[in-house]
Amino acid sequence: MAMFRGEMENSPAVAESYASQALALAVVRHDNPLVAGVIFDMGEVWLSQHEYSRALEHFMRAMKLYREMKDTRGAASCLSRIGRAHVGTGNYNSALE
């Protein structure tokens, strides 16, 4: 789901606006894979902006959803990004966990 990544370079607020709209539609449709994907994409936006705590929040939420769906690929992607966010904060011990 790379639909917001082009927008994030110009403005994370614009990306967040689009993501909020996509998230609302996904929730109404009960499309859990899409919900998790949108949340993951927003984590990517915040990671690219060096907003590590916001990125971690999104990756943790997405990981919970992926695990509930038994989507190991999605959960693994979240774990990778969680590690990168911890590295960004200088919290290397958490990144290794």
Side-chain angles (χ1 to χ4, degrees):
M1 291 207 67
M3 65 180 124
F4 310 115
R5 292 189 187 129
E7 297 289 342
M8 77 181 168
E9 295 172 8
N10 297 322
S11 171
V14 171
E16 188 170 36
S17 173
Y18 284 126
S20 293
Q21 293 173 55
L23 186 59
L25 291 171
V27 168
V28 167
R29 292 185 48 174
H30 304 287
D31 187 339
N32 290 338
L34 183 57
V35 170
V38 170
I39 294 169
F40 180 88
D41 280 352
M42 281 310 302
E44 291 273 283
V45 170
W46 295 120
L47 187 64
S48 75
Q49 298 296 314
H50 308 286
E51 294 281 345
Y52 301 115
S53 62
R54 291 183 88 172
L56 282 168
E57 289 173 24
H58 284 80
F59 293 136
M60 296 295 286
R61 284 178 57 203
M63 185 174 63
K64 180 177 185 248
L65 291 170
Y66 283 127
R67 285 184 169 168
E68 288 172 0
M69 293 182 289
K70 299 187 182 351
D71 181 339
T72 55
R73 174 180 260 171
S77 293
C78 289
L79 287 169
S80 173
R81 298 315 191 284
I82 288 167
R84 287 177 54 197
H86 280 300
V87 167
T89 65
N91 193 350
Y92 300 109
N93 289 333
S94 290
L96 293 172
E97 291 178 358

